[in-house]
Amino acid sequence: MKHADRAAGLWLSMCTLALGTGAWFSMGFSMGLGRPESDPVSSRPGSAKVDFNRDVRPILSNNCFFCHGPDPKTREAGLRLDTPEGIIAPLKSGGAAVVAGDTAASMLLARITTHDEKDVMPPVKSGKKVTPAQVETLKRWIEQGAVYDKHWSFKEAHKPAEPVVSDPSWVHNPIDAFVMRRLDEAALHPQPEADRRTLIRRLSLDLTGLPPAPEEISAFEKDESPEAYERLVDRLLASPRYGERMATDWLDAARFGDTNGYHIDNERYMWKWREWVIDSFNQNMPFDQFTVEQLAGDMLPADTDPKVTARRKLASGFNRNHMINFEGGAIPEEYMHNYLVDRVNTTATVWLGLTMNCAQCHDHKYDPISHEDYYRFYAFFNNVPEKGLDGNTGNSEPFLKFPTDAEEAKLAELLARATAMDEKLSGPMPESDALQVAWESEAHAFDQGGWTVVAPISVVSTAGSTLVVQSDKTVLAAGKAPDRESYEILVPIPGDAAASVSAFKIEALQDDSLPQKGPGRSPNGNVVLTEVSAQAVPLADPSLASPVNIVNAFADYSQAMFDIRLAVDGKGETGWATGSHIARDDREAVFVLEKPVENAGGTFLKIRLGFDSQYAQHSLGKFRVSLLTDRSRHAAMSTAAISAWSSLGPFAVGSNPAEALAAPAPFAIEPEKAIDLGALYSAKPDAPADIGWKVRDDLPDGQVAMLTSLDYQSMYFHRTIRTDVARRVRLSLGSDDALRIWLDGVKIHESGLQGRSTAPDQVFVDLDLTPGEHVLLMQVVNFTGGFSFYFKPVADDGMPAPLNIAKILRTPAEARTSEQKVAVRDYFRASRSPQWRELKGQRDQILAERTRLDGMVPTAMVMGELPEPRKTHIHLRGEYDHLGAEVTAGVPHALPPLPEGEPANRLTLARWLVSGKNPLTARVYVNRLWQTIFGRGLVKTSEDFGLQGSWPSHPELLDWLAVDFVEHGWDIKRALRQIVTSSTYRQSARTSPESHSADPENTLLAHHPRVRLNAESIRDSALYVSGLMVERLGGPSFRPYQPPGLWEEMSLDPTGASFSAQVYVQDHGESLYRRTLYLFRKRTVPFPVLAIFDAPNRETCAVRRDRTNTPLQALVVLNETAFVEAARHFAQRVLTSPGSDEARLARAFELATAQRITPEQSGILMELLSEQRRAFAGSSEAEKLLAVGESPRDATLDVGEHAAWTMVCSAILNLDQTLVKD
Amino acid sequence: MNPLRERELLLTRRQLFGRAATGIGAAALASLLNPALAMASGAGGTGGPLMPHFAPKAKRVIYLFMSGAPSQIDLFDYKPKMGEMHGQDLPDSVRMGQRITGMTSGQSRLQLLGSPFKFAQHGKSGVWLSELLPHTARIVDDITLIKSVHTEAINHDPAITYITTGSQQPGRPSLGAWLSYGLGSENSDLPAFIVFISIGSGNPNDQPLFDRLWASGFLPSSHQGVKFRGSGDRVLYLSDPPGVSRSSRRSMLDAVAKLNRITLDKFADQEVNTRIQQYEMAYRMQTSVPELTNFQDEPESTFDLYGPESRKPGSFANNCIMARRLAERGVRFIQLFHRGWDQHGNLRNAIKAQCNDTDQPSAALVMDLKQRGLLDDTLVIWGGEFGRTVYCQGNPDDPNSGRDHHGRNFCVWLAGGGIKPGMVYGSTDEFCYNIAEKPVHIHDLNATVLHCLGLNHERLTFPYQGRDFRLTDVAGKVVHDILV
């Protein structure tokens, strides 16, 4: 006896033994195992004709092919038994393995029957043995001519004629004829049709996953028309619940999950793809289209309707459902290989029913799939623009946004509104434009007045340039050009003793003598001025020279990353670059002194220009110095002086964005309350306070400041602003993600956006400053992904025009270029036009809202094709880093070829699978439909149609169904309708002793199989029966009640600071009562209720589930929160309906089982009810039971009574009849 | 509970079982009609479907799994020369192009880090052990220390999946599931395969664990490991809902059983009978598990033996006591996962904290089993998924530095259940980087474990997708040298 059968036998025997001796969990699994098995009819002695495929090949495959099969590397003695030529070929040792009609000459028989341990086949050490019955079969086959046949599933399917049967009146459709023929052969009879209550419950559960409602039962019972049953079938097939029911099985096959699996196992978002599956089943999308869109929807030509195109791309997410790794230190190539392997294995299992995975490392041992075939198939999927390690934050490349129609319309509307405002913002604005004209002349006057060009008294080069003061007061450098340089320039303060200087200007000028005309001395003409400083030098005693602070600097132009402020930052290596190699022009820079320097009867200004950068020879070639002698202009020029940033943090915040903003978790760090730059903070409540403010001079204004990117982190930034006059400073800001700003302790801005990438001008904030010093505090919160901000003061009411604008204003208005006009207008409007600012503010708000909505649009991973296909090689021994010969995409040689003239790509593969020429796809899928309805397929090993798979219980029926399916356009609902309207399906589940004896596994279907509901249906039924269920088609996954700590005790990041789906946050309200199909599937820690009821963990493709029967299952239905809550509501539902105890019991029983309660059953439950009433009467315990679950209780119900009924209803939910479908 | 009521409950149960056992009704009829059943009924009902292939030395296993990979260099594999060469570069001739993880592949130097811990010889066998393991030192004469275990995987997820299931990729049954499938349980009130998780003090966030490490893969899901938890229900959903008394539960289950028997009579479906009994087992578990997890019957000396943490539910030490109690009750496979061994940084402090968690309880378990006469037929295993590098992650003189992953050699110790006492097996080169002699692949280790339990690893197979799968894939050699 094979051990698979023994296992089944054992548990059966143990069931009848006294308790206490049985093996515990190893008892009672009723799913079959994947081994070819004997046929209940043909294995009976005396059967005449041997069928090679059914009877002989399984014996050869299981016992011989490992050494005498397709894999040449393990082929012994050159003998090959898996081909018709091989099995009759002359042996090296003489004779042949098989000689047709001659058992005595067939060496095969001699070797398997010999008693010589050295010679016997299969070898002793293989542990395999050919049974006497199998020897007999082989003998008869040889006697009958040893006809060799191609493996059945690789042969084209033909529609067989409907067989003649013993009782044609039983035949409702052709399915029944095929079934009855097999029953006739076994001298068995089908059961009569089940009663209507059984039928409606069976049908409702099979087609929708939920039991029928009492009203539906009575309507069906009363419907006497001959079409009553068919109408019921049509109603159920048309229900949206049908799509949910069908999707459940498909999600197993597609290894759908809500997390990335592997090591970190954080969250991903594929629920839009799940919606696609449900919708497609509900719309009865033909299976060929269903296939092509999922395997290659991204490659289909674009449809005229972009929505259709988008949906097809969404469908292609099927092959992105595999796990994706982001373990630190893992090697990307290794995981890329794993993803490819998963796609190959999944696609082969789901559509071809082939165990192609066996050929990953070597030629298949049993099936005609070579190692090379495997990698040819692999090549189809090897062109996705993906990364080997990805998924640290949500979805992995490539993925797309999939807005709903409503979302799309809203986004478009907001964009249109913003665009319309953009036009206004750049169009004429009479009020503002009039102000601009006045301002321009004022600004021009300011720019022109108050400056005096001075001739230096001396200019000294410290590195050896020759500096000559020209007649036009400019200074020209000549001679050798040192790599590094500094100039010391002494200029007089013009005027009398009362005169003063409050700023100086350096003009960098072009000259023909300089490389590229300069103004720099470097070969490209560029200048990097690294540091500017000044001293006041009294003529009377130069030794009393005192430093002069520079508080501000402006330039007409700064090269990116070389802002003018870097020339006054006190650091030698950073500086201002003129960018002369990019745009050739004269440049000017103004340096504003903290206080005017008085002439005081003879004071000189000594200016030092340093050129100390890493860029050699970037010193000034020609320049001129001017001094601002009109001190009335000083206040305006000494704009708000802003200190360098200090930063604090990062600190972890909660992974829920709302919470993250509400208060930094796990505890509050609130420098905004009171800023103390000396204070220390701790990272966690129990950690030492060792985090303090740090001065940050690495975060220059006007550049995106990149922070160390950690998910769910918050950082604070501080700086002071000092001004001598009242002014309004306008900041341009950007952030990734949320941003808050306080000025002097008052919050003046907050934008809590997720998924924003930093860019300039995302937000404008005005700082209204009074004279004095102000404190600016900024908080940036990163949710996931990049962590950065942008900060730049862009306008200042008190300020004169910036130099670049002032320069334009020196050209008369009519002579300006249109670019210059726009620059002046934009500057004016942004800095000085209230009308424009208000409109701009509105427009920014609209765009911010659009960004917020856009960030909420769900994404889903999709397939894509690289423009240049990746090369694919054979991977020796299946390993990622052992490459063999290069291969091109193709299908296994044993199957029909791809159509000629079509490119060998994924789309062609998808079309080939459903071309109808492929012998496997239709058979494999109708078999799974059969499995969905009957609990097991006609081929029991629904994942393996290869040589080691099960022989079909009804081969002709399988072929008939497959061909019929293709002939009728791959119509899934039609195929199901055919199955469930058959007499075979409609039989009673009662067993006759004869059929039990002849066919204990009910392979021949002499009665309807009793099948325990799947995990989803068990939970759904309890919720539905209780009235708690909230039906909402589609949507994101929900998180149910779950015992605390299950995720955290296993997760990498139990605080959830760095990764998602590490900390379990249960949902509340309606979500708790949604269908189980939508329950959050964390791959490394599956929801225990599902795991206990045999739902696969979705790490890899699964097309068949176990159906075990264990004590843990009992504990779930008895004690799990959702089931207890369901029992409580079930009781409430019953108690709030009128009637006697008996009537209420009958109703409860009917709700759960669809059956009328019998007096015996009612008696048992009545007794239970009175026991429970006694138990709960006057006891405070009842309230505790009724508090289970978060849904409210009807407080008008008596507590003891409600509790007693809760126990009774729980009993009903635990009945075999409730958990099983008859 | 009221003794009268207790008696009443017992009677009810006896009546119930009596009826099932005497075989009245369709249930018995159905079983009589099933020839497969008739054949199997002579086989007895206590074992799993396969039964041992030969006489086992061990009846059960306690596997102390050190998740995150303990540093063999700092605990077991004494390499004094590395102290002398501290700070020098790992010679290329030693590394031989071996791939290293993305965490140190970017380091410009691979500098040797001598163990900062002192080593000494212990016991009659004179085994060298680190000062971090004073308690393990007391049992060296009871264990076999293998210094030459190796694996191909270099990262946690594939490595731990590999050693627990025989494959780096998810989907295969775990060692415990194979044992449950092969041998069944000796205790009808408890699962055959029980798992515990504890969080290490050394690095509380490392490394994550996955359900697949105790999953049943393609074996029937009834063989998956059942997690015993440190808080809440020790077994998920074990407790009756609040407010429900034992007698209330009993009367409800009696009603369910009566109603289910009506269903059984109607359909003659054996699964109904199984369900009736599974509900009874669930009821018995509700009593047996709390009795098991209640340590009131343990003398003070037990807690002294297992150390200060042993009273704290969910701690490794507490789980070790639980493991012994489960072993006493015949549970086949008990696996304790202790997290926190991933010392990429802060090695010096973190490994000390890990040893504080585990050293005393691990040694105590061996001593305790021995004094109770259970060590002879209980196999105890201590080890992680791989080892750690002799070269330093970071600067060797920085106290916060650590060691990266190393699969080419690491240490595992075994005790009891057919294992030679006081033995060291295999050795490594002076850099603790390559195996010098007697390599033991993780498949060999698993083959040896199965062997101790009387199972031939090549014959413990399950047909799936057309192929006979086994724990050791297509490899594995029993290490007979370490067996008595």
Side-chain angles (χ1 to χ4, degrees), chain B residues 346-362:
Chain B
N346 194 21
L347 167 80
R348 291 155 179 85
N349 292 320
I351 197 169
K352 211 177 277 175
Q354 289 298 107
C355 291
N356 267 341
D357 294 344
T358 56
D359 176 44
Q360 183 172 0
S362 303

Side-chain angles (χ1 to χ4, degrees), chain A residues 53 172 217 257 384 522 569 589 619 652 740 832 959 995 1001 1029 1039:
Chain A
N53 267 324
H172 184 84
I217 299 170
V384 183
S522 62
D569 62 357
S619 53
R740 277 175 173 156
R832 285 165 168 82
D959 281 6
S995 78
E1001 282 195 54
M1029 177 169 279
R1039 290 162 167 86

Side-chain angles (χ1 to χ4, degrees), chain A residues 817-831:
Chain A
T817 66
S818 56
E819 276 175 10
Q820 288 176 324
K821 283 178 187 160
V822 169
V824 173
R825 188 199 66 198
D826 286 356
Y827 169 73
F828 174 79
R829 288 182 176 182
S831 63

Side-chain angles (χ1 to χ4, degrees), chain A residues 550-616:
Chain A
I550 297 173
V551 292
N552 215 348
F554 314 106
D556 61 334
Y557 179 90
S558 296
Q559 187 182 325
M561 314 290 287
F562 293 88
D563 190 79
I564 183 67
R565 293 186 64 89
L566 299 174
V568 290
D569 62 357
K571 282 194 294 189
E573 59 272 27
T574 61
W576 172 62
T578 57
S580 303
H581 58 308
I582 301 164
R584 305 208 171 275
D585 202 350
D586 293 343
R587 299 274 183 253
E588 55 195 79
V590 169
F591 302 90
V592 183
L593 307 179
E594 186 177 10
K595 287 189 193 114
V597 177
E598 313 286 342
N599 177 306
T603 302
F604 282 44
L605 192 66
K606 188 172 172 186
I607 301 167
R608 183 181 176 280
L609 305 179
F611 307 96
D612 210 20
S613 75
Q614 56 175 302
Y615 307 97

